Amino acid sequence: HGAGTGAVLEAKNWETIDDIAAVYTRWGAHAYGKGSEGTYMPEVFKKRMAQIDITVQNVDHRESSMLSGDDYNNYRGGMIAAVRSYKGNMPRNYVSDSSDRSKVQLRSLTEELKRWFRGEAMNPKYIAGMKKHGYKGAADLCNIVSHSFAWDATSNVIEDWMYNELTKMYVISKDINAWLKKVNPWALRKMCTVLLEAKQRGLWNAPKELESALMQEFLEIEGDLEELSDE
């Protein structure tokens, strides 16, 4: 079950968009129909991906978002990565929002992601709500960082300012930082690891002061967790 995209990104076992596309193909290139019950047909799958000009996903609810759940990028992001690899350029990507049936809206993938980023991930009320849930709330904030990176890896939709804001709001903000260290220091370490990976892979042109602060925070939390494991 799955599309493989999340697994390869989590394992850091990739270098280029072609590597992500190869995993997506290996997990997904199985044909079903008359005379075929899951036959692996990678060449046919690659040909079809190379013919795609537009990808569209319909979202008919607001119970989860493309930043709160990894399935969105696992499947949709994996497809975009495959098209980028086999076609050689980025398809046009849209999200059809039918959560309000009386007002269906079509947005670009970038517009939709920024809408959730500004309205949820950077929303002080949302963050305050997560803080009420302690360990789990911290894990959910950590997931936003991980899913943002995953979307960037597959679909090139996270801009530098967004990484900057995630770092400032989630990692080096005194209030959030102290709370994370108290309820879930592992989530803080994961955030640092993911953001540093984005910098190392060239996805984020990080300002020097943020990169230094992020590295310092990573080293400090790594030391704190080592002390916890020795107790």
Side-chain angles (χ1 to χ4, degrees), residues 194-206 208 211:
V194 170
L195 290 165
L196 287 170
E197 183 180 359
K199 170 63 175 66
Q200 292 161 0
R201 290 187 181 275
L203 297 175
W204 174 29
N205 183 27
K208 289 294 183 181
E211 182 183 359

Side-chain angles (χ1 to χ4, degrees), residues 16-66:
T16 68
I17 199 70
D18 298 331
D19 297 328
I20 301 174
V23 172
Y24 181 79
T25 300
R26 187 63 189 87
W27 283 53
H30 298 272
Y32 294 84
K34 187 176 181 179
S36 178
E37 296 182 359
T39 306
Y40 182 53
M41 303 177 68
E43 295 310 314
V44 174
F45 188 79
K46 291 177 184 179
K47 183 178 179 180
R48 294 307 300 267
M49 292 295 107
Q51 295 171 338
I52 292 176
D53 295 318
I54 298 173
T55 74
V56 181
Q57 180 181 15
N58 182 54
V59 179
D60 60 2
H61 63 86
R62 293 176 180 169
E63 296 177 3
S64 63
S65 76
M66 59 193 296

Side-chain angles (χ1 to χ4, degrees), residues 21 38 53-54 71 75 96 98 103 106 128 141 147 151 158 180 207 211 213 226 230:
D53 295 318
I54 298 173
D71 276 349
Y75 293 95
S96 172
S98 62
K103 190 181 179 182
L106 185 69
L141 291 183
H147 299 157
W151 273 111
I158 301 295
L180 287 170
E211 182 183 359
E226 284 184 10
D230 292 337

Side-chain angles (χ1 to χ4, degrees), residues 33-228:
K34 187 176 181 179
S36 178
E37 296 182 359
T39 306
Y40 182 53
M41 303 177 68
E43 295 310 314
V44 174
F45 188 79
K46 291 177 184 179
K47 183 178 179 180
R48 294 307 300 267
M49 292 295 107
Q51 295 171 338
I52 292 176
D53 295 318
I54 298 173
T55 74
V56 181
Q57 180 181 15
N58 182 54
V59 179
D60 60 2
H61 63 86
R62 293 176 180 169
E63 296 177 3
S64 63
S65 76
M66 59 193 296
L67 290 179
S68 66
D70 62 354
D71 276 349
Y72 291 85
N73 184 67
N74 198 24
Y75 293 95
R76 176 76 180 285
M79 174 181 283
I80 293 171
V83 175
R84 290 174 65 191
S85 176
Y86 303 136
K87 189 179 182 68
N89 53 50
M90 179 74 76
R92 287 178 287 167
N93 304 299
Y94 298 96
V95 175
S96 172
D97 179 1
S98 62
S99 55
D100 181 351
R101 299 296 177 88
S102 66
K103 190 181 179 182
V104 177
Q105 299 186 61
L106 185 69
R107 306 182 185 93
S108 71
L109 180 66
T110 301
E111 288 173 332
E112 181 72 357
L113 187 141
K114 287 181 178 178
R115 190 172 74 92
W116 283 106
F117 188 86
R118 292 191 176 102
E120 187 172 271
M122 292 291 110
N123 189 331
K125 291 183 179 180
Y126 177 81
I127 295 172
M130 289 296 100
K131 289 178 69 175
K132 295 178 181 179
H133 296 279
Y135 181 92
K136 179 61 167 60
D140 286 344
L141 291 183
C142 179
N143 284 338
I144 288 176
V145 176
S146 296
H147 299 157
S148 296
F149 168 79
W151 273 111
D152 206 19
T154 62
S155 310
N156 191 29
V157 288
I158 301 295
E159 299 175 6
D160 285 344
W161 69 266
M162 300 166 81
Y163 282 118
N164 294 347
E165 291 304 312
L166 285 172
T167 302
K168 289 187 286 186
M169 181 78 81
Y170 284 22
V171 177
I172 61 179
S173 164
K174 290 183 179 180
D175 177 50
I176 302 299
N177 183 279
W179 171 72
L180 287 170
K181 287 179 177 177
K182 179 181 178 181
V183 302
N184 191 341
W186 298 272
L188 178 58
R189 179 175 63 180
K190 178 67 179 293
M191 289 180 187
C192 293
T193 300
V194 170
L195 290 165
L196 287 170
E197 183 180 359
K199 170 63 175 66
Q200 292 161 0
R201 290 187 181 275
L203 297 175
W204 174 29
N205 183 27
K208 289 294 183 181
E209 63 273 15
L210 285 184
E211 182 183 359
S212 298
L214 191 57
M215 180 59 72
Q216 181 63 34
E217 192 59 48
F218 173 75
L219 294 174
E220 288 181 9
I221 196 64
E222 190 76 356
D224 292 343
L225 290 175
E226 284 184 10
E227 291 181 10
L228 282 175

